[in-house]
Amino acid sequence: MTASVHGPVDVVCLGESMVTFLPTQAGRLADVPSFVRGIGGAESNVACALAAAGHRTRWVGRVGADGFGDHLVSAIAAYGVDTSMVARDPERPTGVYFRTATDRATDAHEVVYYRAGSAASAMSPHTVPSGAVRSGRVLHLSGITAALSPDCLALMRGLAARRDGGPLLSFDVNHRPGLWRDPSGADVLLELARGADIVFVGEDEAEEAWGVRGADAIRAALPQPSVVVVKRGAAGAVSFTRGPERLPALDTGTGTGTDVLTTVPAPRVTVTAPVGAGDAFAAGFLSATLRGLTARQRLRHGHLWAAAALTVPGDLAAPPAAAHADRLVALDDEAWGRLHLGPGWTGEDQEVRTP
């Protein structure tokens, strides 16, 4: 099933999506007896979350002319995402991967990708229609795409080139050392991030990729973007916003003036599965950006959407209803600091404790 969005598009997300096989129980891949099929892909995750919140989104990608490609397109379209610009490749397969149930940050975590030569790796400036990619208010990309092939890197460089007009460019660094065939990957990610308007980067991945430690050093390495968001895991997130704190929803370019530094701690979360939080955080932040909210409100929405992902088993979670999230975002600092979010907190059986 292919879905189309009628009217202006809020966010276009471009990148690889794969069929993911999630284990039915904890343990090594060698010991897991069965898996449940799902979908995975940083950019399509963002598109799905934003669509579930009522934004008009489009996912641009490339999948095989196979059953897994059929499943991906159908599953992503079911969230309300426009998939009309997804290309089908008759010669290359749809990528798949298997993972364990453990935290990605631990040594026990295993993930096995079958994506070499995938349909997505054939994306290039010649196979992706520029008009479809630049048709939204925001274009969201990640560093994963740049690592898939030289053609994908050429596509990303073209999209990250600064130009007058066009959509707000959002870039999630998503440093994946195992994807890069040579050590230049970290430099490529820095180049692409410097061409964006909004950058999302983890404090730990910035240190691993670029050797910079701490939020101030990360901002110094990325002086060009109007907004740099540094994610610090359970410690929260920091944003550097150049210019007024309340930016227009479509403010682009390098901006003027000095940075506004905003720090927001993350609420405590009873974690069901430690996956999907980064994509959900980006989606929540972008949703608040489209609504013209302040830097503090954007960070809080990012944290809440991340908490929604952390309290479900898979990579994707329905975001909290806007009214519910807005009430939590409006809490004073003391009440926000007492938040404790558990499984089901976004629904009627929500578990939000403020001891």
Side-chain angles (χ1 to χ4, degrees):
M1 177 184 70
T2 299
S4 299
V5 171
H6 301 288
V9 176
D10 293 321
V11 182
V12 175
C13 300
L14 178 145
E16 180 179 33
S17 191
M18 294 177 288
V19 173
T20 175
F21 289 93
L22 311 175
T24 55
Q25 66 183 49
R28 302 183 310 152
L29 285 178
D31 301 326
V32 174
S34 59
F35 297 81
V36 176
R37 184 180 64 177
I39 60 174
E43 302 85 2
S44 59
N45 285 348
V46 170
C48 290
L50 286 167
H55 295 285
R56 296 175 180 268
T57 66
R58 170 179 294 145
W59 172 55
V60 178
R62 192 175 183 89
V63 300
D66 49 34
F68 286 147
D70 293 342
H71 173 66
L72 273 177
V73 173
S74 178
I76 293 170
Y79 282 87
V81 177
D82 183 333
T83 57
S84 61
M85 301 308 299
V86 176
R88 307 300 295 265
D89 193 319
E91 299 178 354
R92 299 174 181 85
T94 303
V96 301
Y97 73 97
F98 297 77
R99 67 169 173 82
T100 54
T102 50
D103 189 335
R104 286 186 175 128
T106 69
D107 292 337
H109 180 69
E110 297 174 76
V111 59
V112 178
Y113 291 99
Y114 297 92
R115 74 197 312 178
S118 70
S121 69
M123 289 190 296
S124 75
H126 307 293
T127 62
V128 174
S130 176
V133 174
R134 298 185 180 278
S135 60
R137 300 170 66 194
V138 176
L139 170 60
H140 180 71
L141 308 171
S142 94
I144 294 173
T145 306
L148 297 181
S149 69
D151 281 344
C152 283
L153 176 54
L155 172 65
M156 291 289 288
R157 280 181 162 146
L159 294 175
R162 289 193 175 276
R163 66 190 68 192
D164 294 331
L168 188 78
L169 182 60
S170 167
F171 182 71
D172 193 335
V173 171
N174 264 328
H175 178 46
R176 299 288 188 269
L179 278 178
W180 291 94
R181 297 172 177 81
D182 59 63
S184 68
D187 293 335
V188 169
L189 293 176
L190 189 60
E191 169 199 338
L192 295 174
R194 286 173 173 170
D197 299 297
I198 298 176
V199 174
F200 300 95
V201 61
E203 196 170 43
D204 54 349
E205 68 179 343
E207 182 173 0
E208 180 183 21
W210 307 322
V212 296
R213 179 176 298 180
D216 289 339
I218 293 171
R219 179 48 158 165
L222 295 171
Q224 295 89 348
S226 297
V227 179
V228 173
V229 179
V230 180
K231 298 175 290 182
R232 306 173 64 195
V238 175
S239 72
F240 296 88
T241 304
R242 180 154 298 141
E245 179 182 292
R246 186 187 290 272
L247 287 174
L250 297 181
D251 188 20
T252 60
T254 57
T256 58
T258 58
D259 272 336
V260 173
L261 173 64
T262 308
T263 302
V264 172
R268 285 178 294 164
V269 179
T270 300
V271 176
T272 298
V275 293
D279 300 334
F281 183 97
F285 189 93
L286 291 176
S287 174
T289 298
L290 288 164
R291 295 170 62 194
L293 302 185
T294 66
R296 177 174 174 272
Q297 292 167 329
R298 296 179 194 192
L299 289 173
R300 284 194 172 188
H301 276 283
H303 284 317
L304 291 175
W305 286 41
L310 290 170
T311 49
V312 299
D315 287 22
L316 274 169
H324 180 35
D326 285 345
R327 286 193 296 271
L328 296 180
V329 165
L331 292 173
D332 60 37
D333 289 343
E334 183 180 357
W336 176 265
R338 294 197 303 267
L339 272 182
H340 187 175
L341 308 175
W345 74 271
T346 61
E348 295 180 357
D349 57 342
Q350 61 187 320
E351 179 186 353
V352 180
R353 301 194 297 276
T354 54

